[in-house]
Structure formats: structure tokens, C-alpha cells
Amino acid sequence: MQVRDLSLFYGAKQALEDVSFDLFPREILAFIGPSGCGKTTALKCLNRMHDGTRGVRIEGSIEMDGRDIHHPDIDPPLYRRRFGWVAQKPNPFPSSIWQNVAYGARIHGLMNTSADMEAHVEDCLRRAFLWDEVKDHLHKKQGTDLSGGQQQRLCVARALATQPDVLLMDEPTGSIDPIATAKLEELMVELKSNHAIVVVTHSMMEARRIADRVAYFHMGKLLEIGPTQMIFDHAQNAKTRAFVGGEFG
């Protein structure tokens, strides 16, 4: 994906200003920055989640595979199928574990037979590191009966079920415990072998552990983007310069 000079307005209020970045296959790109800086707003632009929001105006361009995602020929529902979405708070459907995963594949007609669907559900749950924990309860337990960390991995399995190219994750570890966070971080690193992943996080340490590149947002602007270690080295050097200047300048 290529994002160029992206600006977004909620009525008269500007939420993003001239944001430009690329998203590459098989990478994790982390959006970091303070609350309200535009991270989630930018994330939602990628799969056109702002389409139904009253008063939103978008300027600039977003291209996927060389095509403008807002071109009249683009069918928004078909386009969004290329993305999986995982929210901050786990939000499984109030139905069986099996139904949670099968739903997306069924409505998009991705599986031809019941045997194909069974294999697909198992594959998604395995890829989400959840199969061994739920395989005996697929039709007995609802998704909402699982622990918080399991629910979030179920949401990842549900996102994978539509066979997306890109996974968008909005603070996916923000409401789960440290043990579940470690499992989900391990899962994200594993999934990047087949998907591009964009993750919003408030945790600098999480970004450092999992991201290939980091994009730092502040007040609606993308101030810096680059390889994770480089961005954190720059930040550390800036802190050191500020300290030396303040103490000894």
C-alpha cells in the first residue's frame, strides 16, 4: 500500500495532516504516539472504515496494488474483504466458537463443502494458537465464554477466516493480561509471514518487541517512520541531548 499526503477532516476539525507512508508485504508496522494523535484514524483509512461517518472529508491518496482505493470502480465491501480487523476490546459473537470463525467465510462463499469449512475453521484456530485449547468445545462453548486472552485470539482467527491480505489491529493487547499479551505478540510475529500487519499500540516496549518498522504520530502528523531500532535509537539520542543541554549547557 502507498499512502500519500493523507489528510482527514471531521467537519472543520483536521485529524490528519499530510500523512505519507508505505506498507510492505510480510511486515509489522506499528503506529505509536500519544492518545488522540491520529493513529486509529489513520488505521481506519486503510480499509475505508470512515466511509459511513458523517462529515468526514479525506484528501490525498491511498493505493493498494497500484489502484486508488477510492476510485469509483472499487466495490467497498469487496475491498474491505482484503482486510482483517481486531479491536482493542475482544468482541466475539455471542455464538459458538465454531460459528465465530465460520461466519465470515460462509457469507463470502469461500468454502465449497462442509468438509472444507471444517478444515478452514481448524486452520484458522491453529494459526491463532487457539486450537488445542478449544478443539473439544467448538460447538459447546460460546466465544463469550472464553477468557479475555482466548477471546482476543478467537477474534484473530475470525479475522483470518476471510483470507485477508492485511491485518489491522487497534491496540489488540490493550485490555488483556500480560500472559495473554505475550501469546498475542508471538501470534502477530508468526502471522506476518503471510500477512502485512498494521498495529496501533500505546506500548513502546511492545512496538520494540514485534514491529519491523515504527510510525510515530503526534497531533495528526506523522513525524517519523523507519526501522524500529533506528526510531528508538533516535528517540534515545534526543533524550540524551536534551538532558545534556539542560544539565550542562
Side-chain angles (χ1 to χ4, degrees):
M1 297 191 75
Q2 291 185 326
V3 178
R4 295 291 181 268
D5 303 320
L6 176 66
S7 295
L8 183 142
F9 301 82
Y10 294 106
K13 180 182 177 181
Q14 186 166 7
L16 294 174
E17 182 178 348
D18 295 330
V19 171
S20 297
F21 63 89
D22 293 327
L23 176 64
F24 302 111
R26 295 179 295 279
E27 76 160 349
I28 298 177
L29 174 62
F31 288 176
I32 63 174
S35 297
C37 67
K39 303 185 299 295
T40 297
T41 299
L43 190 74
K44 290 180 176 180
C45 287
L46 300 182
N47 67 340
R48 295 185 54 169
M49 282 185 73
H50 294 294
D51 280 9
T53 304
R54 181 176 299 177
V56 166
R57 185 174 88 257
I58 295 176
E59 299 176 355
S61 68
I62 303 175
E63 293 186 355
M64 189 169 191
D65 298 333
R67 297 191 65 194
D68 182 353
I69 71 168
H70 294 100
H71 192 279
D73 290 342
I74 298 293
D75 183 342
L78 286 178
Y79 172 74
R80 291 190 192 100
R81 205 179 95 181
R82 302 186 67 180
F83 295 82
W85 179 270
V86 180
Q88 176 180 359
K89 185 177 180 180
N91 57 351
F93 301 143
S95 55
S96 72
I97 295 167
W98 191 91
Q99 289 286 356
N100 265 270
V101 182
Y103 176 77
R106 180 184 293 117
I107 64 172
H108 290 298
L110 297 181
M111 299 297 122
N112 295 321
T113 67
S114 58
D116 289 340
M117 183 65 80
E118 292 290 343
H120 184 59
V121 169
E122 178 177 345
D123 178 63
C124 292
L125 289 170
R126 284 189 182 278
R127 294 178 64 202
F129 295 173
L130 191 57
W131 173 254
D132 289 339
E133 299 170 40
V134 302
K135 61 183 178 181
D136 297 325
H137 311 286
L138 296 179
H139 300 280
K140 301 173 185 176
K141 279 190 175 183
Q142 292 195 342
T144 50
D145 294 332
L146 301 176
S147 69
Q150 289 175 324
Q151 287 186 28
Q152 195 64 308
R153 281 181 284 145
L154 178 61
C155 291
V156 173
R158 185 178 66 191
L160 294 173
T162 57
Q163 301 175 332
D165 299 312
V166 182
L167 289 174
L168 305 178
M169 297 183 161
D170 188 12
E171 297 188 58
T173 63
S175 61
I176 57 179
D177 63 75
I179 294 176
T181 292
K183 288 184 178 180
L184 194 59
E185 288 179 358
E186 180 185 359
L187 170 58
M188 285 188 273
V189 173
E190 179 73 18
L191 290 175
K192 78 172 184 177
S193 62
N194 293 304
H195 306 274
I197 299 174
V198 187
V199 57
V200 171
T201 178
H202 279 296
S203 170
M204 302 299 103
M205 293 306 297
E206 179 171 88
R208 197 164 198 164
R209 286 191 296 265
I210 67 171
D212 298 292
R213 291 190 302 138
V214 168
Y216 178 67
F217 286 78
H218 185 68
M219 297 182 68
K221 297 181 179 180
L222 177 55
L223 298 186
E224 192 170 15
I225 183 169
T228 302
Q229 192 59 50
M230 183 190 78
I231 296 297
F232 280 95
D233 285 347
H234 284 181
Q236 186 60 48
N237 291 338
K239 288 181 181 179
T240 301
R241 289 194 298 269
F243 175 78
V244 172
E247 293 294 317
F248 302 108

